[in-house]
Amino acid sequence: MAALDPLPELMVEPIVRAALLEDLGRAGDITTDAVVPAGHVSRLVLAARQDGVVAGLDCARLAFRLLNPDVRFTPVVADGARVAPGTVLAEVEGPSRALLTGERTGLNLACRLSGIATATASLADAVAGHKAQIVCTRKTTPGLRALEKYAVRAGGGANHRFGLDDAVLVKDNHVAIAGSVAEAVRRVRARAGHMVKVEVEVDTLAQLEELLTFGADAVLLDNMTPATLAEAVRMVGGRMLTEASGRVNRETAPAIAASGVDLISVGWLTHSAPILDIGLDWVG
């Protein structure tokens, strides 16, 4: 896997800050403020409870340091690392109030992103040996898209479009309103700039044959069997990128990849992947 570039802190901080403010509410951490003396200092470690792939350590770091900049957060592994149960991910030392108050926010984000990275890695492993690449979709948690798509990259996947404004994807409802694939693409071509990529979703080989008469940059082959996907790839003949979607899991992914498609898009990576269990353990 290529080196993983971290997200700029400028992008991550507002998300972490908003999550902290949600948790702090109107009166702050009334439990910790009552129990823990203001000057108390602790040492803790973030440790994996399961096998998986790590993502989101910067979110955990910011959850503590936004509460108190005196917190020292030392990563032991990097995002994208594969870990076993008991692996220490980071060491944290500093004012105990900040550590306990930021614990849940930091863990919520790190567990969520690591779960996405782990699920992505599982599918990437399943299609290893084929050219198909696992990609995510816009089925993300509102407000967390940049982080969740980063987690997909941490797991060895790639990103589909980030929003409605960075690429065209003509879907079935667009075609229904326009009246045909050809008319929907004609309208797009008349309006979109020359730098905008155009992808079109098709449900049948007949729609694909229609699309091939005027072309696009990519075609989304939706809910097709592996055999039908293979025929679609043959029909396209390398003239555009081919993307498969629908009913993708670790068991079905190898056959889908074997059809020869370039991309396999998976919505559940960002909307339903289970978390990776990570704990914050007190060591002194």
Side-chain angles (χ1 to χ4, degrees), residues 160-161 163-170 184 188 192 196-200:
H160 207 284
R161 58 180 179 165
L164 296 171
D165 62 339
D166 60 350
V168 167
L169 178 52
V170 177
V188 163
V196 177
K197 296 285 188 179
V198 177
E199 182 171 17
V200 179

Side-chain angles (χ1 to χ4, degrees), residues 17-105:
R17 186 182 296 275
L20 284 170
L21 288 172
E22 178 182 53
D23 212 18
L24 288 165
R26 295 167 297 177
D29 185 352
I30 60 175
T31 306
T32 296
D33 290 348
V35 173
V36 180
H40 194 274
V41 172
S42 292
R43 290 188 301 116
L44 303 101
V45 295
L46 269 75
R49 302 279 194 260
Q50 299 171 279
D51 291 314
V53 178
V54 178
L57 290 180
D58 274 348
C59 295
R61 175 181 60 82
L62 282 169
F64 300 125
R65 288 186 54 82
L66 285 172
L67 291 166
N68 193 313
D70 291 335
V71 170
R72 292 180 296 282
F73 186 96
T74 306
V76 177
V77 302
D79 281 357
R82 298 193 178 216
V83 297
T87 302
V88 173
L89 311 182
E91 299 170 349
V92 192
E93 184 174 357
S96 300
R97 285 186 173 182
L99 300 183
L100 297 184
T101 298
E103 174 181 1
R104 181 43 48 203
T105 293

Side-chain angles (χ1 to χ4, degrees), residues 31 37 54 59 61 91 103 138 152 158 177 187 231 248 252 263:
T31 306
V54 178
C59 295
R61 175 181 60 82
E91 299 170 349
E103 174 181 1
R138 286 170 41 248
V152 168
I177 291 170
R187 294 180 188 182
E231 176 60 16
V248 180
T252 61
L263 307 167

Side-chain angles (χ1 to χ4, degrees), residues 30-284:
I30 60 175
T31 306
T32 296
D33 290 348
V35 173
V36 180
H40 194 274
V41 172
S42 292
R43 290 188 301 116
L44 303 101
V45 295
L46 269 75
R49 302 279 194 260
Q50 299 171 279
D51 291 314
V53 178
V54 178
L57 290 180
D58 274 348
C59 295
R61 175 181 60 82
L62 282 169
F64 300 125
R65 288 186 54 82
L66 285 172
L67 291 166
N68 193 313
D70 291 335
V71 170
R72 292 180 296 282
F73 186 96
T74 306
V76 177
V77 302
D79 281 357
R82 298 193 178 216
V83 297
T87 302
V88 173
L89 311 182
E91 299 170 349
V92 192
E93 184 174 357
S96 300
R97 285 186 173 182
L99 300 183
L100 297 184
T101 298
E103 174 181 1
R104 181 43 48 203
T105 293
L107 288 179
N108 280 350
L109 290 169
C111 291
R112 169 72 177 150
L113 299 185
S114 296
I116 291 171
T118 300
T120 303
S122 177
L123 286 183
D125 290 347
V127 302
H130 300 284
K131 69 175 180 177
Q133 189 168 30
I134 301 298
V135 299
C136 57
T137 72
R138 286 170 41 248
K139 296 176 182 178
T140 54
T141 307
L144 297 184
R145 181 170 295 172
L147 294 181
E148 291 178 345
K149 283 182 171 286
Y150 165 80
V152 168
R153 299 197 300 275
N159 298 146
H160 207 284
R161 58 180 179 165
F162 273 73
L164 296 171
D165 62 339
D166 60 350
V168 167
L169 178 52
V170 177
K171 295 179 69 67
D172 52 356
N173 287 330
H174 298 115
V175 172
I177 291 170
S180 68
V181 171
E183 178 58 17
V185 174
R186 185 197 67 77
R187 294 180 188 182
V188 163
R189 294 292 193 195
R191 178 159 181 160
H194 69 285
M195 295 292 287
V196 177
K197 296 285 188 179
V198 177
E199 182 171 17
V200 179
E201 177 186 276
V202 299
D203 301 317
T204 66
L205 294 180
Q207 286 183 323
L208 175 60
E209 188 170 12
E210 180 187 0
L211 175 62
L212 288 172
T213 63
F214 47 86
D217 298 294
V219 59
L220 175 59
L221 306 164
D222 191 43
N223 283 306
M224 294 183 178
T225 66
T228 305
L229 287 171
E231 176 60 16
V233 170
R234 187 198 65 76
M235 290 171 62
V236 170
R239 285 174 283 176
M240 64 182 82
L241 283 173
T242 53
E243 175 185 345
S245 70
R247 298 188 294 271
V248 180
N249 55 47
R250 187 172 174 83
E251 287 67 44
T252 61
I256 293 171
S259 71
V261 294
D262 299 297
L263 307 167
I264 302 175
S265 57
V266 189
W268 67 261
L269 290 178
T270 51
H271 71 61
S272 298
I275 68 162
L276 181 70
D277 191 9
I278 298 171
L280 183 67
D281 301 327
W282 189 82
V283 295

Side-chain angles (χ1 to χ4, degrees), residues 3-22:
L4 180 68
D5 292 325
L7 288 176
E9 190 165 307
L10 184 67
M11 295 173 62
V12 180
E13 181 176 326
I15 299 171
V16 178
R17 186 182 296 275
L20 284 170
L21 288 172
E22 178 182 53

